[in-house]
Amino acid sequence: NIRATISEQMMDLALRDGEDHELSVPIIVPGSFHEQCKSKWRNHAEAICGLDGTTLFGSDKREPVTYNGCGEMIESSPTPITCLTSPLGLIGMTICRDLFMGNSATVLQSLPLDWLFVPSMSDKLGPHKATAKTLYDTRGTIIADANQQMPDAVEYDQGFVHHEKYDEGETGLTIITIRRTDTCLRIML
């Protein structure tokens, strides 16, 4: 529902103001959400076009976590990792620990990605940052990790963009804006 609401708001802004509306950016990733898929659940994220809210591509989480003794029950899509070829380069997305664990991590390390979006929820991002450094050093991949605070966490690592300077801000939609300092590119997560 949250993702659909954001997409609808983007479409309304585009209809009202055209492609130059106040949130007009190439890509928005409004987090990942547990959602029902047939009779099971999946943790799913989608990248949408900031110009009009159109869905560009999605990603399913594949490595479950355990929190406070409760296991994350997810049913992953059988669809392989999806990437988007764009004027910004090859863009991929993975959710949280799929960046550094399991089959998804192995596949990601073999792809010539320019950008990798990582919606996550974790108290510490050490493994995320280590993998980001490896992917940047070996393939030049820029990792944008938007980290949400874990429930009941007193402190947590906020998201990062590996090896890029950025300005961070929030809107009423709690979207993180990342602005590359060397270009006019803005990305909202």
Side-chain angles (χ1 to χ4, degrees):
N1 289 338
I2 294 170
R3 186 169 47 245
T5 299
I6 293 171
S7 292
E8 288 171 12
Q9 289 179 1
M10 302 309 290
M11 180 60 78
D12 290 344
L13 285 169
L15 290 172
R16 189 187 73 209
D17 299 332
E19 291 187 356
D20 292 329
H21 62 81
E22 61 214 25
L23 296 176
S24 177
V25 294
I27 299 172
I28 298 173
V29 180
S32 68
F33 302 95
H34 287 92
E35 56 189 42
Q36 196 158 5
C37 178
K38 298 185 181 175
S39 63
K40 301 190 178 188
W41 290 85
R42 67 181 180 163
N43 186 341
H44 184 73
E46 288 182 355
I48 61 175
C49 177
L51 303 177
D52 62 8
T54 302
T55 299
L56 298 171
F57 66 107
S59 177
D60 290 323
K61 187 173 182 197
R62 305 201 185 278
E63 292 293 319
V65 297
T66 301
Y67 177 73
N68 284 345
C70 297
E72 181 181 34
M73 302 301 291
I74 59 173
E75 178 66 21
S76 294
S77 165
T79 305
I81 293 173
T82 304
C83 298
L84 175 69
T85 301
S86 78
L88 303 173
L90 186 62
I91 302 171
M93 181 170 36
T94 194
I95 300 172
C96 204
R97 68 192 282 170
D98 288 356
L99 173 64
F100 55 87
M101 289 186 76
N103 290 335
S104 293
T106 303
V107 170
L108 290 171
Q109 291 179 18
S110 71
L111 296 173
L113 295 171
D114 295 295
W115 295 89
L116 181 61
F117 302 140
V118 185
S120 62
M121 180 183 283
S122 181
D123 53 351
K124 299 289 180 198
L125 293 178
H128 296 81
K129 290 179 180 178
T131 302
K133 179 175 180 1
T134 300
L135 287 173
Y136 183 83
D137 290 347
T138 59
R139 300 222 176 251
T141 305
I142 298 171
I143 310 287
D145 187 308
N147 191 39
Q148 300 175 50
Q149 186 171 358
M150 297 282 290
D152 304 323
V154 177
E155 294 182 18
Y156 79 108
D157 289 342
Q158 294 187 11
F160 65 90
V161 175
H162 187 74
H163 285 282
E164 294 292 322
K165 296 183 178 182
Y166 64 97
D167 299 322
E168 190 174 291
E170 292 188 18
T171 71
L173 299 173
T174 347
I175 296 172
I176 298 173
T177 303
I178 298 168
R179 184 187 320 270
R180 286 188 57 168
T181 55
D182 59 336
T183 68
C184 297
L185 176 64
R186 283 191 307 163
I187 300 174
M188 299 180 90
L189 303 170

